[in-house]
Amino acid sequence: DAKTTQPPSMDCAEGRAANLPCNHSTISGNEYVYWYRQIHSQGPQYIIHGLKNNETNEMASLIITEDRKSSTLILPHATLRDTAVYYCIVRVAASFQKLVFGTGTRLLVSP
Amino acid sequence: ETGVTQSPTHLIKTRGQQVTLRCSSQSGHNTVSWYQQALGQGPQFIFQYYREEENGRGNFPPRFSGLQFPNYSSELNVNALELDDSALYLCASSLGGLANEKLFFGSGTQLSVL
């Protein structure tokens, strides 16, 4: 699985959009980009994933650059409950469910 | 809430002892995987069970072993505990056999080895 690089921490004001970047310059053509988050004292929570097209669901939007070397997770209106560690993961689609987590980005949403 | 439950929530053991951690997967999920999360780090994959068979393993020694039962619940066993085994142990379940599945994680068991 390709490696990812994320900033260690970011701040965001409540109600504003949070844009979390991820670099995955060695991504292969068959690797997907996944985002999970981990709120304190809980297990990781799936947010969204994509291959090459932009994706949106009820939680967030995922923007993947055309060359697929980087992506951005967008939380459109951050709330205090979005304070968490966000993990960007790339992996091949398979029934084998191993995820390789890095250290992620710690997002702090403030009033 | 994901429907994945783990027990116990906290556990204290002494070096050299053995421990068993338990996980009930989300209803309908036949695949369970276990992760170890040291303080300040991301989770690390230990192994995965699919239909009662281990079908993938991370870089963990044999003293980490597991079981999956016919109802798809699972156990993680760690023998000869070491101080470095102190961590949050996470269980995740998924439907199994499908590409691009989401993993649903429990809240974990916090293990302290003294």
Side-chain angles (χ1 to χ4, degrees), chain B residues 12 52 63 78 90:
Chain B
I12 299 175
E52 304 178 54
R63 61 188 184 86
V78 187
L90 295 159

Side-chain angles (χ1 to χ4, degrees), chain A residues 89-106:
Chain A
I89 300 164
V90 297
R91 63 180 289 267
V92 176
S95 59
F96 182 53
Q97 297 298 332
K98 174 183 177 181
L99 296 176
V100 179
F101 289 84
T103 51
T105 295
R106 186 172 299 276

Side-chain angles (χ1 to χ4, degrees), chain B residues 11-16 81-83 85-86 111-114:
Chain B
L11 199 54
I12 299 175
K13 289 288 189 178
T14 303
R15 189 173 52 183
L81 283 167
E82 301 177 359
L83 298 180
D85 296 332
S86 295
L111 173 65
S112 298
V113 182
L114 306 179

Side-chain angles (χ1 to χ4, degrees), chain B residues 11-73:
Chain B
L11 199 54
I12 299 175
K13 289 288 189 178
T14 303
R15 189 173 52 183
Q17 286 187 314
Q18 178 266 343
V19 69
T20 298
L21 310 181
R22 295 179 175 82
C23 172
S24 292
S25 59
Q26 186 159 313
S27 177
H29 287 189
N30 60 16
T31 302
V32 173
S33 50
W34 287 89
Y35 288 76
Q36 179 195 66
Q37 186 172 24
L39 191 63
Q41 303 296 315
Q44 286 195 7
F45 176 78
I46 302 175
F47 45 54
Q48 172 179 294
Y49 277 80
Y50 173 64
R51 294 184 175 178
E52 304 178 54
E53 297 287 333
E54 182 183 306
N55 73 337
R57 189 176 186 94
N59 188 26
F60 281 82
R63 61 188 184 86
F64 286 78
S65 63
L67 283 173
Q68 187 180 29
F69 301 100
N71 66 355
Y72 305 130
S73 66

Side-chain angles (χ1 to χ4, degrees), chain A residues 5-69:
Chain A
T5 303
Q6 299 177 253
S9 64
M10 294 184 65
D11 295 324
C12 180
E14 188 178 22
R16 304 297 292 267
N19 297 283
L20 291 88
C22 179
N23 181 283
H24 31 79
S25 58
T26 61
I27 193 170
S28 301
N30 61 347
E31 287 185 310
Y32 285 70
V33 179
Y34 285 76
W35 285 82
Y36 280 75
R37 73 179 182 183
Q38 188 171 21
I39 296 169
H40 183 61
S41 298
Q42 297 182 21
Q45 175 191 26
Y46 168 85
I47 302 173
I48 198 167
H49 76 277
L51 181 63
K52 56 183 178 181
N53 297 318
N54 298 338
E55 302 286 346
T56 296
N57 63 19
E58 66 279 3
M59 290 183 68
S61 294
L62 173 60
I63 308 298
I64 302 174
T65 59
E66 191 167 345
D67 63 7
R68 302 209 324 120
K69 293 182 183 300

